[in-house]
Amino acid sequence: MDDQTDKTPGPQKATVSVEASSLADQVATIKLGLRSSPVRGQLASVSIGIVAVIVATSIGQVLLNRWNQPFYDALARRDMADFLHQLLVFAAIAGGLLVLNIGQTWLNQMIRLRLREALTLDLIDQWMRSARAFRLANAGAIGVNPDQRMQQDAAHLSDLSTDLGVGLLQSFILLVSFIGVLWELSSGFVFHFGEWSLAIPGYMVWAAFLYAGTASWLSWLVGRPLISLNSERYTREAELRSSMVRVNENVDAIALYHGEPDARRRLELDLGTVLGAMRRIYIAQINLSWVTDTYGWITVVAPILVASPVYFSGDISFGGLMMAVGAFNQVHSSLRWFINNIGSIADWRATLMRVADFRIALEETDVLHDTEKRIEFRENANGSLTFEKLQVSSPEGCTKLADPHVEIHAGERVMITGEPGAGKTLFFRAIAGLWPWGSGRIGLPAGETPIFVPRVPYFPAGTLREVLDHPNGSAPVSDAEISAVLAEVGLERLSSSLDRNGRWERELGDDEQRALAFARIAVRKPKWVIIDEALDAFDGPSLRRVLAMLQARLPDAAILNIGRGLHNSQFFPRALSIVKDIGAPALKPARVRAGAIEPPPTTARVKKK
């Protein structure tokens, strides 16, 4: 049949170049999605709650730090009564902090949940807008594996954003809380050099900033490559998953052609690219660990080394030393948040890039080829379907009807034919509005919604009754009528399965699926039906049954069949021809860059992220 020969890549795809957006573009588009989310109120509530808990926790940490001095001084004095009293104070402070920590953990999980819900709902909403999924699938590398970006990447971004955001906020509040404490403690630090004395205001504060700043700079220098390495890994993981899904969906054909060795080699190659990407990440992480772990060990003694000259000179007590060490550790811990999370930050940056660029690309698919002419659509008050100088542009040329002016009236049966490669499916998609690029005008019948029948039928998950009696139908259909329609197309065995859930595209053979698609048309009773080669695959008896059913069930419907023209000319008395004008101006490639649409380049190329 003509299915294979007419499925040329040129007319079906818009060749584009995909380039990464900036961080500002990515953050802006995620904010836009969250702002319009139906769960933004709940997300805001739990966010405010966790801020309050973190502030309360920082107050408790300050109280706990102040507790260090009287507790260790009591130990130094061997004062048992004061020692026991300080233990009771510790129990009260620690109990409060325990409750706050559990509350913060719960709020942290709620933020993850609501953030993932908001992100995923927004991406699904953007993806499922009219014809966007189709256009994105034909927009190059950015449209590959959208399921992974909406499910896995959105979930990972939610987890990373929550952990990093809460951690950064907590570190900032602790820094603000303890920097004053550490500055005040540093006021008593005087360095003695023989007869000379030197007091440095805020000495331990400056020491903490210098220490953490040096560590952060080295960590960023070593860990920055992880951003691109993580992005590459997610791309390779998506390709491996896509290959596995493709094999699973074609197990019958693979078995019949004994293609298991080829499929295994393909999967092994994809797995090899994933393992190679992971190996490079692990090497980068080991290099980063040399920096972070070295600073981690130095931090064990660093605050004591910084304060020891003052302690040994006798200017502070042992309790004061421990209080200063505790405050230094809190300030340093806040400042080293970047060091501790450099790997997660790189992972977050790579995941943000994938999710945000995907969302931006969804919006930009609506304006792809905006510099190109578009087919004009209008409604005909007389209820006819018209084509006026229609030319459908593609990268390989132009598809058009042989007759420049065509009018099809209600109730007509028209066969539209064309040579292999003429672009019959492209013409079908242009009528449906999926491919708007070209010139001329399509006039649709006013007040009517044509039913479009693709060559490969689609059945939503659900019961057979839901598949057939679509909610967009004019009125509910009785079981008796559904059973009669099924019998007319040779599917009477399904009459007892109307209320059974199933994956009908897997339970039924190819011919049965096509027959079920035409049975659905008969149940919905449209006045206009436009078919793309769906009748071409039927054998003689099946075709006669379907045509007889259409004749009986839709006697007044206009039916346009785009195909090879091998059908009964009595059912389709009128014939039109589709031709390919190779010499006509071709559709120019467009560049999709997250955040902007750029002028089409001379040569299209795709940059994978």
Side-chain angles (χ1 to χ4, degrees):
M1 61 177 289
D2 192 32
D3 283 0
Q4 300 300 323
T5 56
D6 196 39
K7 292 174 72 174
T8 52
Q12 309 302 326
K13 291 187 178 290
T15 308
V16 298
S17 173
V18 182
E19 297 185 1
S21 61
S22 67
L23 177 61
D25 288 334
Q26 294 162 10
V27 173
T29 193
I30 295 298
K31 286 175 59 179
L32 180 63
L34 295 179
R35 191 181 304 124
S36 59
S37 172
V39 298
R40 64 184 182 277
Q42 301 173 41
L43 184 60
S45 297
V46 292
S47 299
I48 293 172
I50 204 167
V51 170
V53 168
I54 290 174
V55 170
T57 301
S58 67
I59 295 174
Q61 293 285 358
V62 171
L63 295 176
L64 185 63
N65 181 258
R66 290 179 179 175
W67 169 85
N68 281 324
Q69 182 170 8
F71 176 74
Y72 285 106
D73 283 343
L75 282 175
R77 296 192 308 269
R78 294 181 174 84
D79 188 340
M80 177 62 70
D82 194 19
F83 171 76
L84 294 176
H85 172 71
Q86 293 303 323
L87 287 179
L88 293 176
V89 173
F90 171 80
I93 297 175
L97 288 174
L98 174 63
V99 173
L100 290 172
N101 287 338
I102 294 175
Q104 180 175 330
T105 300
W106 181 81
L107 289 170
N108 185 294
Q109 300 300 328
M110 290 300 101
I111 290 179
R112 289 187 185 206
L113 182 67
R114 295 308 177 196
L115 185 57
R116 180 180 182 183
E117 181 180 6
L119 283 176
T120 308
L121 284 176
D122 175 69
L123 291 176
I124 291 174
D125 174 66
Q126 295 292 325
W127 189 48
M128 285 290 98
R129 295 194 180 184
S130 180
R132 272 190 180 178
F134 166 80
R135 291 173 184 167
L136 185 72
N138 292 278
I142 193 67
V144 176
N145 302 310
D147 54 319
Q148 185 186 41
R149 297 188 187 239
M150 289 184 288
Q151 185 263 330
Q152 183 176 326
D153 291 344
H156 195 44
L157 180 62
S158 300
D159 291 345
L160 288 173
S161 298
T162 301
D163 290 342
L164 292 174
V166 171
L168 179 60
L169 176 64
Q170 191 165 21
S171 296
F172 176 75
I173 292 177
L174 283 174
L175 177 63
V176 172
S177 301
F178 277 93
I179 200 169
V181 174
L182 189 59
W183 188 282
E184 182 180 353
L185 290 172
S186 299
S187 62
F189 282 26
V190 180
F191 296 91
H192 301 280
F193 304 96
E195 297 179 356
W196 295 88
S197 298
L198 176 64
I200 303 176
Y203 158 68
M204 293 196 73
V205 174
W206 300 120
F209 271 98
L210 179 62
Y211 181 71
T214 304
S216 298
W217 177 74
L218 286 176
S219 298
W220 174 246
L221 195 65
V222 176
R224 186 176 182 180
L226 282 169
I227 296 176
S228 59
L229 292 175
N230 276 300
S231 179
E232 180 190 4
R233 177 194 171 180
Y234 293 140
T235 299
R236 302 308 176 197
E237 293 277 12
E239 291 172 353
L240 174 61
R241 176 180 174 181
S242 178
S243 295
M244 289 180 172
V245 171
R246 191 182 307 114
V247 169
N248 185 57
E249 291 177 345
N250 295 278
V251 288
D252 293 351
I254 291 173
L256 290 173
Y257 282 96
H258 303 289
E260 289 87 353
D262 290 336
R264 183 175 62 251
R265 280 194 297 272
R266 179 69 262 177
L267 293 176
E268 288 173 350
L269 286 173
D270 288 341
L271 176 61
T273 61
V274 171
L275 296 178
M278 293 177 66
R279 189 178 298 110
R280 288 187 289 274
I281 289 176
Y282 294 156
I283 292 173
Q285 288 176 338
I286 290 174
N287 293 335
L288 180 62
S289 295
W290 280 106
V291 176
T292 57
D293 290 355
T294 299
Y295 270 89
W297 283 108
I298 295 175
T299 303
V300 174
V301 296
I304 297 177
L305 291 175
V306 170
S308 59
V310 182
Y311 173 72
F312 286 115
S313 66
D315 289 335
I316 58 172
S317 66
F318 180 70
L321 172 67
M322 299 308 297
M323 185 176 175
V325 168
F328 181 93
N329 283 332
Q330 288 289 358
V331 171
H332 176 258
S333 176
S334 300
L335 291 173
R336 65 173 282 126
W337 172 88
F338 182 82
I339 307 170
N340 294 336
N341 293 280
I342 182 64
S344 296
I345 292 171
D347 193 7
W348 173 82
R349 184 70 179 85
T351 309
L352 174 68
M353 184 189 303
R354 287 179 58 81
V355 174
D357 283 0
F358 176 73
R359 189 186 189 279
I360 294 172
L362 284 170
E363 294 180 336
E364 291 184 351
T365 53
D366 294 341
V367 291
L368 275 179
H369 305 287
D370 215 22
T371 59
E372 299 291 331
K373 292 183 178 179
R374 289 176 178 252
I375 299 169
E376 180 184 349
F377 287 84
R378 71 175 187 183
E379 290 190 347
N380 294 329
N382 64 356
S384 65
L385 175 65
T386 59
F387 304 100
E388 300 178 17
K389 297 181 178 180
L390 177 63
Q391 292 185 332
V392 185
S393 297
S394 72
E396 292 189 349
C398 178
T399 296
K400 62 181 181 180
L401 290 170
D403 299 326
H405 301 281
V406 173
E407 183 172 8
I408 301 172
H409 298 281
E412 279 197 82
R413 310 284 172 78
V414 181
M415 184 72 208
I416 303 177
T417 63
E419 294 293 329
K424 296 188 288 293
T425 295
L426 188 67
F427 185 79
F428 170 80
R429 290 174 173 176
I431 302 174
L434 296 178
W435 192 272
W437 300 291
S439 61
R441 180 181 300 166
I442 296 177
L444 299 173
E448 299 293 341
T449 303
I451 296 296
F452 293 91
V453 186
R455 68 179 91 190
V456 178
Y458 164 72
F459 305 114
T463 66
L464 189 61
R465 184 191 307 279
E466 293 170 340
V467 170
L468 290 169
D469 193 4
H470 196 274
N472 290 341
S474 56
V477 182
S478 66
D479 289 3
E481 185 173 355
I482 293 177
S483 298
V485 171
L486 290 173
E488 290 174 16
V489 296
L491 297 177
E492 56 271 8
R493 69 179 180 85
L494 297 179
S495 297
S496 60
S497 302
L498 294 181
D499 294 312
R500 181 170 64 85
N501 278 287
R503 294 192 61 177
W504 304 104
E505 74 279 4
R506 295 198 172 185
E507 294 188 24
L508 303 178
D510 292 342
D511 283 347
E512 290 178 320
Q513 290 182 46
R514 282 185 283 269
L516 184 63
F518 281 99
R520 178 169 56 186
I521 294 172
V523 169
R524 295 183 62 179
K525 296 181 174 61
K527 294 185 178 180
W528 287 84
V529 180
I530 302 175
I531 305 168
D532 176 31
E533 300 187 340
L535 293 173
D536 291 346
F538 284 121
D539 57 19
S542 299
L543 179 61
R544 286 192 290 272
R545 280 197 301 267
V546 170
L547 292 181
M549 183 272 296
L550 293 175
Q551 180 66 48
R553 296 282 175 175
L554 304 175
D556 300 323
I559 302 178
L560 282 69
N561 182 38
I562 302 173
R564 292 177 297 167
L566 303 180
H567 311 313
N568 192 330
S569 60
Q570 294 180 351
F571 191 88
F572 295 103
R574 184 179 178 185
L576 299 172
S577 297
I578 292 176
V579 296
K580 190 63 168 288
D581 186 359
I582 301 178
L587 182 67
K588 296 179 181 179
R591 173 177 297 173
V592 181
R593 186 182 64 82
I597 294 291
E598 297 183 350
T602 303
T603 303
R605 55 189 174 86
V606 173
K607 287 185 179 179
K608 290 185 178 180
K609 291 187 285 298

